[in-house]
Amino acid sequence: MRRALRVELRRGTAPLAAAAMFGAGVWMLAVHPDDWGGRWAGLANYLRVSLLILCALMIAAGAWQSGRERRRDIDELIASTPRPGWQPVVVAWLAVTLAGAVGLLGAFAGAAVLVARVATYTGGGWWWTLTVGVLALAAAAAVGVLVGRLVPLRVAAPIAGLATYLGLAIVIYWDGNPAAWLSPVYGGWAVYSLVPDRVTALQAAWLVALTVLLLAAAARQRRAALLAGGLAVTAAVPIITGPGTYRLPADPAAVELVCTSSGPQVCLSRINAFLIDDVTEVVQPILARLDGIPGAPRRAADQAAQPAGQSLESDDGTVWLSLDYQSTALGGLVSRKSLRADFRQVTRARCEDPSGTRRIDQRVYRTDTLATDWMLDEAATPDNVPLARLRSLPEPAQRTWFAAYLDAAHRCDTSALIRLGEQL
């Protein structure tokens, strides 16, 4: 069996599978570095995101490898050789699985080097997320082997791959349904979320049992297939009857705040703390501009650490910063503009009428925009006369105007908001 495996790894579909998985992995990583940059959990989660495409490639490779003997009309000749009937199936599966996994992990190893340079949090059980992803590749290869055995046509491999892509894409929209845990593709939880150990263990058991079931079916091993099928059902039932993929608890250690020691306070969760210098450079000048103004925020903090159920508009003196997709591959800040835009939560009056409907008055909107431009110290343009007039006032008068705006916005005093905008 070892000799046969070595031959398949050198001359079969395996080398092409390794190259395809490596190329696909590099491409996926290059497309969205903001999903994984600087975070081990983000990298593991992104591998699970990539399975939408990678599983399709593994199934196509497995189908091509497994159907090769029948396409060449040598299956009967091989069956006459003195070796167990399951051995060719396992060799074909193992060759594709090993090659595909090595190719993919080679691509992700390069990303891991970049993450290791800057990561500030290594916990959270991300390695189990990664392990389940690798087991999913093995299961996908087993699906391909079964398809190749049943349908030896050349078109079976690409059709099976495309069908897998479409099927997994549909399952993504089950997010919130417990059955979504049966899919290996990442379910949309945040990098600081904590997937229960029980769910991860059941996912691993389900994928291993499914792999054995598919290989046994391909090798026509009835007893092994029945046993593996029973184990698969045993693992699947607790999954589909358990909690859904939404509202996962946050990892307390991942969202532990790390704060600056000088200047206006900026606090980031430990998993995002590698960004603190870049974030501070953008945020502290804005907080310093608002310092001492009644009703203005006193600090900025990572939204990952925001108490559950608390809205962004809550009056707690904190601006909550969204940093989930704010990291480059090298650990820098993606967009200073987006970070500054998070301060718009300070100058966004949300007033509701007795029926609970939010009213939108263009005059209030213009006042909100004026307050935002002043707060962010935006450059005055020739057509922005109100901002130019506000800037022409003495600094204490500008701060008094902004304090009056915050008070009116907090009270949802539409008339006062309109007056503040029209007086300039």
Side-chain angles (χ1 to χ4, degrees):
M1 181 173 173
R2 290 183 180 178
R3 181 181 177 184
L5 179 60
R6 286 196 296 269
V7 171
E8 293 294 349
L9 288 173
R10 291 198 306 269
R11 302 178 183 176
T13 308
L16 291 177
M21 293 294 282
F22 179 81
V26 171
W27 175 70
M28 291 291 291
L29 288 165
V31 169
H32 284 294
D34 52 335
D35 273 330
W36 55 268
R39 309 172 182 96
W40 289 112
L43 185 61
N45 285 356
Y46 196 66
L47 184 142
R48 297 286 293 273
V49 170
S50 305
L51 290 179
L52 178 63
I53 292 176
L54 300 177
C55 281
L57 290 177
M58 288 294 284
I59 287 177
W64 189 267
Q65 172 83 1
S66 179
R68 183 183 54 181
E69 295 169 359
R70 291 184 62 183
R71 288 196 302 273
R72 296 177 179 177
D73 293 326
I74 60 173
D75 52 319
E76 292 184 1
L77 176 63
I78 293 178
S80 65
T81 58
R83 60 176 179 174
W86 54 264
Q87 193 175 98
V89 173
V90 173
V91 168
W93 166 76
L94 195 55
V96 171
T97 299
L98 289 176
V102 169
L104 177 63
L105 294 179
F108 273 73
V113 172
L114 299 179
V115 172
R117 291 175 55 252
V118 297
T120 48
Y121 182 65
T122 59
W126 58 270
W127 48 88
W128 295 118
T129 301
L130 183 66
T131 300
V132 171
V134 174
L135 292 176
L137 296 179
V143 173
V145 167
L146 178 59
V147 170
R149 285 275 166 170
L150 296 177
V151 187
L153 300 176
R154 293 180 182 274
V155 296
I159 290 176
L162 178 60
T164 300
Y165 174 81
L166 294 175
L168 292 176
I170 291 172
V171 174
I172 290 176
Y173 292 98
W174 290 1
D175 188 25
N177 189 314
W181 287 119
L182 296 177
S183 169
V185 179
Y186 163 71
W189 55 85
V191 293
Y192 48 82
S193 294
L194 198 60
V195 179
D197 292 340
R198 173 179 174 274
V199 171
T200 302
L202 287 172
Q203 276 188 316
W206 153 253
L207 290 170
V208 170
L210 180 63
T211 301
V212 176
L213 169 62
L214 294 167
L215 293 176
R220 299 179 181 178
Q221 301 292 315
R222 182 181 177 85
R223 292 182 180 179
L226 289 174
L227 177 60
L231 293 175
V233 172
T234 301
V237 169
I239 292 177
I240 63 178
T241 57
T245 58
Y246 59 91
R247 295 181 180 178
L248 291 174
D251 178 1
V255 299
E256 179 185 2
L257 289 178
V258 177
C259 301
T260 55
S261 56
S262 60
Q265 191 178 64
V266 178
C267 298
L268 302 190
S269 60
R270 187 167 297 281
I271 198 170
N272 291 327
F274 64 94
L275 291 170
I276 196 164
D277 290 340
D278 291 337
V279 171
T280 298
E281 185 178 342
V282 176
V283 169
Q284 276 194 341
I286 302 174
L287 291 174
R289 183 172 178 78
L290 301 178
D291 185 39
I293 297 178
R298 301 180 302 277
R299 69 167 192 159
D302 191 344
Q303 192 176 337
Q306 187 177 13
Q310 180 178 329
S311 67
L312 291 177
E313 299 83 33
S314 59
D315 185 17
D316 64 348
T318 301
V319 173
W320 297 102
L321 307 174
S322 177
L323 299 173
D324 285 354
Y325 304 101
Q326 273 281 29
S327 174
T328 65
L330 298 178
L333 193 63
V334 169
S335 173
R336 293 170 175 259
K337 184 178 180 180
S338 296
L339 196 62
R340 287 166 58 84
D342 286 336
F343 276 81
R344 295 180 185 274
Q345 62 194 256
V346 178
T347 56
R348 211 179 301 168
R350 291 175 172 81
C351 302
E352 300 177 350
D353 59 23
S355 66
T357 303
R358 287 184 175 178
R359 302 187 302 273
I360 301 177
D361 189 306
Q362 289 301 314
R363 294 170 297 176
V364 172
Y365 176 77
R366 286 194 293 269
T367 305
D368 290 345
T369 302
L370 176 59
T372 301
D373 291 344
W374 181 87
M375 175 182 63
L376 298 180
D377 201 18
E378 299 285 4
T381 57
D383 58 339
N384 195 343
V385 176
L387 180 60
R389 289 176 178 173
L390 180 58
R391 292 270 177 79
S392 67
L393 298 175
E395 183 68 22
Q398 295 180 40
R399 294 168 64 84
T400 299
W401 183 93
F402 190 78
Y405 165 81
L406 292 178
D407 178 64
H410 178 71
R411 294 183 290 106
C412 281
D413 189 339
T414 304
S415 299
L417 290 170
I418 294 173
R419 286 196 304 272
L420 285 168
E422 292 180 343
Q423 73 183 32
L424 294 171

